[in-house]
Amino acid sequence: MAHMQPHRDLSAADLDALRRSDAPTQLIDVREPWEFNLACIDGAELMPLGDMYEWVETLNREQPYVVMCHHGSRSAMACAFLRARGFKSVSNLEGGIDAWSTAIDPRVPRY
């Protein structure tokens, strides 16, 4: 039986470097719409955690994804869910959008 690797945690700096590279990565934001409207990272796609059973089937299991939320807990759950369904490359933004705002882009509001 193959061992399934857990998702990787990426720091805000790791994500910033990844976004500046040519690596194809889709950023999934699993927060609620009201949170996304308060603060978001450019290019992130809103896919609320509560709707995961609906949107999971629309994704390519071979494509790399970075999942984010407010502080990293909900996105860690989403990463585990995706890995359990055969997604090959799933990373969690450690510290969520709060870490992004603090370390990378202070123009993103904190809440």
Side-chain angles (χ1 to χ4, degrees), residues 72-89:
S73 298
R74 287 176 282 177
S75 52
M77 289 189 305
C79 285
F81 178 88
L82 293 171
R83 293 291 293 170
R85 278 149 188 82
F87 284 78
K88 306 288 187 236
S89 177

PDB file of all heavy atoms in Angstrom, residues 72-89:
ATOM      1  N   GLY A  72      -5.113  29.520   8.807  1.00  0.00           N
ATOM      2  CA  GLY A  72      -4.514  28.265   8.375  1.00  0.00           C
ATOM      3  C   GLY A  72      -5.193  26.999   8.852  1.00  0.00           C
ATOM      4  O   GLY A  72      -4.850  25.918   8.384  1.00  0.00           O
ATOM      5  N   SER A  73      -6.164  27.097   9.751  1.00  0.00           N
ATOM      6  CA  SER A  73      -6.816  25.884  10.271  1.00  0.00           C
ATOM      7  C   SER A  73      -7.808  25.286   9.282  1.00  0.00           C
ATOM      8  O   SER A  73      -7.778  24.078   9.010  1.00  0.00           O
ATOM      9  CB  SER A  73      -7.545  26.189  11.578  1.00  0.00           C
ATOM     10  OG  SER A  73      -6.628  26.614  12.552  1.00  0.00           O
ATOM     11  N   ARG A  74      -8.701  26.115   8.758  1.00  0.00           N
ATOM     12  CA  ARG A  74      -9.690  25.609   7.791  1.00  0.00           C
ATOM     13  C   ARG A  74      -9.003  25.115   6.528  1.00  0.00           C
ATOM     14  O   ARG A  74      -9.397  24.083   5.962  1.00  0.00           O
ATOM     15  CB  ARG A  74     -10.716  26.695   7.434  1.00  0.00           C
ATOM     16  CG  ARG A  74     -11.708  26.969   8.556  1.00  0.00           C
ATOM     17  CD  ARG A  74     -12.638  28.098   8.196  1.00  0.00           C
ATOM     18  NE  ARG A  74     -11.946  29.377   8.376  1.00  0.00           N
ATOM     19  CZ  ARG A  74     -12.469  30.563   8.096  1.00  0.00           C
ATOM     20  NH1 ARG A  74     -13.684  30.654   7.571  1.00  0.00           N
ATOM     21  NH2 ARG A  74     -11.785  31.669   8.319  1.00  0.00           N
ATOM     22  N   SER A  75      -7.972  25.824   6.093  1.00  0.00           N
ATOM     23  CA  SER A  75      -7.275  25.391   4.883  1.00  0.00           C
ATOM     24  C   SER A  75      -6.528  24.077   5.112  1.00  0.00           C
ATOM     25  O   SER A  75      -6.421  23.254   4.206  1.00  0.00           O
ATOM     26  CB  SER A  75      -6.346  26.484   4.360  1.00  0.00           C
ATOM     27  OG  SER A  75      -5.481  26.967   5.357  1.00  0.00           O
ATOM     28  N   ALA A  76      -6.036  23.840   6.321  1.00  0.00           N
ATOM     29  CA  ALA A  76      -5.396  22.557   6.628  1.00  0.00           C
ATOM     30  C   ALA A  76      -6.409  21.421   6.519  1.00  0.00           C
ATOM     31  O   ALA A  76      -6.101  20.342   5.989  1.00  0.00           O
ATOM     32  CB  ALA A  76      -4.763  22.582   8.019  1.00  0.00           C
ATOM     33  N   MET A  77      -7.642  21.659   6.986  1.00  0.00           N
ATOM     34  CA  MET A  77      -8.701  20.650   6.849  1.00  0.00           C
ATOM     35  C   MET A  77      -9.014  20.407   5.375  1.00  0.00           C
ATOM     36  O   MET A  77      -9.188  19.265   4.950  1.00  0.00           O
ATOM     37  CB  MET A  77      -9.967  21.085   7.580  1.00  0.00           C
ATOM     38  CG  MET A  77      -9.847  21.051   9.086  1.00  0.00           C
ATOM     39  SD  MET A  77     -11.412  21.324   9.967  1.00  0.00           S
ATOM     40  CE  MET A  77     -11.963  22.875   9.309  1.00  0.00           C
ATOM     41  N   ALA A  78      -9.068  21.481   4.591  1.00  0.00           N
ATOM     42  CA  ALA A  78      -9.349  21.349   3.164  1.00  0.00           C
ATOM     43  C   ALA A  78      -8.230  20.571   2.464  1.00  0.00           C
ATOM     44  O   ALA A  78      -8.496  19.730   1.601  1.00  0.00           O
ATOM     45  CB  ALA A  78      -9.519  22.721   2.524  1.00  0.00           C
ATOM     46  N   CYS A  79      -6.988  20.819   2.856  1.00  0.00           N
ATOM     47  CA  CYS A  79      -5.849  20.092   2.276  1.00  0.00           C
ATOM     48  C   CYS A  79      -5.969  18.598   2.550  1.00  0.00           C
ATOM     49  O   CYS A  79      -5.760  17.778   1.652  1.00  0.00           O
ATOM     50  CB  CYS A  79      -4.530  20.626   2.829  1.00  0.00           C
ATOM     51  SG  CYS A  79      -4.033  22.220   2.147  1.00  0.00           S
ATOM     52  N   ALA A  80      -6.296  18.244   3.773  1.00  0.00           N
ATOM     53  CA  ALA A  80      -6.455  16.831   4.127  1.00  0.00           C
ATOM     54  C   ALA A  80      -7.579  16.199   3.308  1.00  0.00           C
ATOM     55  O   ALA A  80      -7.452  15.065   2.817  1.00  0.00           O
ATOM     56  CB  ALA A  80      -6.728  16.687   5.623  1.00  0.00           C
ATOM     57  N   PHE A  81      -8.665  16.921   3.144  1.00  0.00           N
ATOM     58  CA  PHE A  81      -9.808  16.457   2.351  1.00  0.00           C
ATOM     59  C   PHE A  81      -9.378  16.206   0.902  1.00  0.00           C
ATOM     60  O   PHE A  81      -9.699  15.174   0.315  1.00  0.00           O
ATOM     61  CB  PHE A  81     -10.910  17.522   2.420  1.00  0.00           C
ATOM     62  CG  PHE A  81     -12.143  17.211   1.620  1.00  0.00           C
ATOM     63  CD1 PHE A  81     -13.174  16.474   2.167  1.00  0.00           C
ATOM     64  CD2 PHE A  81     -12.284  17.692   0.325  1.00  0.00           C
ATOM     65  CE1 PHE A  81     -14.325  16.202   1.437  1.00  0.00           C
ATOM     66  CE2 PHE A  81     -13.424  17.425  -0.419  1.00  0.00           C
ATOM     67  CZ  PHE A  81     -14.453  16.670   0.138  1.00  0.00           C
ATOM     68  N   LEU A  82      -8.639  17.151   0.319  1.00  0.00           N
ATOM     69  CA  LEU A  82      -8.195  17.021  -1.071  1.00  0.00           C
ATOM     70  C   LEU A  82      -7.205  15.866  -1.238  1.00  0.00           C
ATOM     71  O   LEU A  82      -7.315  15.079  -2.186  1.00  0.00           O
ATOM     72  CB  LEU A  82      -7.583  18.332  -1.560  1.00  0.00           C
ATOM     73  CG  LEU A  82      -8.558  19.504  -1.681  1.00  0.00           C
ATOM     74  CD1 LEU A  82      -7.810  20.798  -1.962  1.00  0.00           C
ATOM     75  CD2 LEU A  82      -9.616  19.240  -2.737  1.00  0.00           C
ATOM     76  N   ARG A  83      -6.257  15.756  -0.320  1.00  0.00           N
ATOM     77  CA  ARG A  83      -5.266  14.665  -0.401  1.00  0.00           C
ATOM     78  C   ARG A  83      -5.968  13.307  -0.307  1.00  0.00           C
ATOM     79  O   ARG A  83      -5.608  12.376  -1.019  1.00  0.00           O
ATOM     80  CB  ARG A  83      -4.231  14.783   0.715  1.00  0.00           C
ATOM     81  CG  ARG A  83      -3.328  15.998   0.608  1.00  0.00           C
ATOM     82  CD  ARG A  83      -2.371  15.946  -0.522  1.00  0.00           C
ATOM     83  NE  ARG A  83      -1.389  14.895  -0.310  1.00  0.00           N
ATOM     84  CZ  ARG A  83      -0.532  14.492  -1.228  1.00  0.00           C
ATOM     85  NH1 ARG A  83      -0.507  15.049  -2.402  1.00  0.00           N
ATOM     86  NH2 ARG A  83       0.315  13.530  -0.982  1.00  0.00           N
ATOM     87  N   ALA A  84      -6.966  13.202   0.546  1.00  0.00           N
ATOM     88  CA  ALA A  84      -7.695  11.944   0.709  1.00  0.00           C
ATOM     89  C   ALA A  84      -8.456  11.568  -0.559  1.00  0.00           C
ATOM     90  O   ALA A  84      -8.780  10.403  -0.767  1.00  0.00           O
ATOM     91  CB  ALA A  84      -8.660  12.035   1.887  1.00  0.00           C
ATOM     92  N   ARG A  85      -8.709  12.548  -1.401  1.00  0.00           N
ATOM     93  CA  ARG A  85      -9.416  12.303  -2.661  1.00  0.00           C
ATOM     94  C   ARG A  85      -8.483  12.234  -3.861  1.00  0.00           C
ATOM     95  O   ARG A  85      -8.913  12.350  -4.993  1.00  0.00           O
ATOM     96  CB  ARG A  85     -10.495  13.362  -2.857  1.00  0.00           C
ATOM     97  CG  ARG A  85     -11.736  12.970  -2.076  1.00  0.00           C
ATOM     98  CD  ARG A  85     -12.522  14.136  -1.572  1.00  0.00           C
ATOM     99  NE  ARG A  85     -13.580  13.662  -0.676  1.00  0.00           N
ATOM    100  CZ  ARG A  85     -13.403  13.356   0.606  1.00  0.00           C
ATOM    101  NH1 ARG A  85     -12.218  13.440   1.155  1.00  0.00           N
ATOM    102  NH2 ARG A  85     -14.413  12.951   1.352  1.00  0.00           N
ATOM    103  N   GLY A  86      -7.186  12.040  -3.597  1.00  0.00           N
ATOM    104  CA  GLY A  86      -6.250  11.762  -4.669  1.00  0.00           C
ATOM    105  C   GLY A  86      -5.555  12.953  -5.301  1.00  0.00           C
ATOM    106  O   GLY A  86      -4.911  12.799  -6.336  1.00  0.00           O
ATOM    107  N   PHE A  87      -5.662  14.124  -4.702  1.00  0.00           N
ATOM    108  CA  PHE A  87      -4.961  15.286  -5.243  1.00  0.00           C
ATOM    109  C   PHE A  87      -3.467  15.134  -4.965  1.00  0.00           C
ATOM    110  O   PHE A  87      -3.063  14.779  -3.862  1.00  0.00           O
ATOM    111  CB  PHE A  87      -5.513  16.583  -4.650  1.00  0.00           C
ATOM    112  CG  PHE A  87      -6.838  16.965  -5.234  1.00  0.00           C
ATOM    113  CD1 PHE A  87      -7.992  16.332  -4.833  1.00  0.00           C
ATOM    114  CD2 PHE A  87      -6.917  17.949  -6.202  1.00  0.00           C
ATOM    115  CE1 PHE A  87      -9.226  16.661  -5.383  1.00  0.00           C
ATOM    116  CE2 PHE A  87      -8.137  18.290  -6.761  1.00  0.00           C
ATOM    117  CZ  PHE A  87      -9.292  17.643  -6.351  1.00  0.00           C
ATOM    118  N   LYS A  88      -2.655  15.376  -5.988  1.00  0.00           N
ATOM    119  CA  LYS A  88      -1.225  15.089  -5.925  1.00  0.00           C
ATOM    120  C   LYS A  88      -0.402  16.149  -5.211  1.00  0.00           C
ATOM    121  O   LYS A  88       0.561  15.835  -4.527  1.00  0.00           O
ATOM    122  CB  LYS A  88      -0.662  14.927  -7.347  1.00  0.00           C
ATOM    123  CG  LYS A  88      -1.390  13.912  -8.193  1.00  0.00           C
ATOM    124  CD  LYS A  88      -1.094  12.512  -7.744  1.00  0.00           C
ATOM    125  CE  LYS A  88      -1.682  11.505  -8.702  1.00  0.00           C
ATOM    126  NZ  LYS A  88      -2.568  10.553  -8.128  1.00  0.00           N
ATOM    127  N   SER A  89      -0.744  17.426  -5.390  1.00  0.00           N
ATOM    128  CA  SER A  89       0.082  18.509  -4.855  1.00  0.00           C
ATOM    129  C   SER A  89      -0.803  19.572  -4.214  1.00  0.00           C
ATOM    130  O   SER A  89      -1.386  20.414  -4.907  1.00  0.00           O
ATOM    131  CB  SER A  89       0.922  19.124  -5.983  1.00  0.00           C
ATOM    132  OG  SER A  89       1.672  20.207  -5.486  1.00  0.00           O
TER     133      SER A  89
END
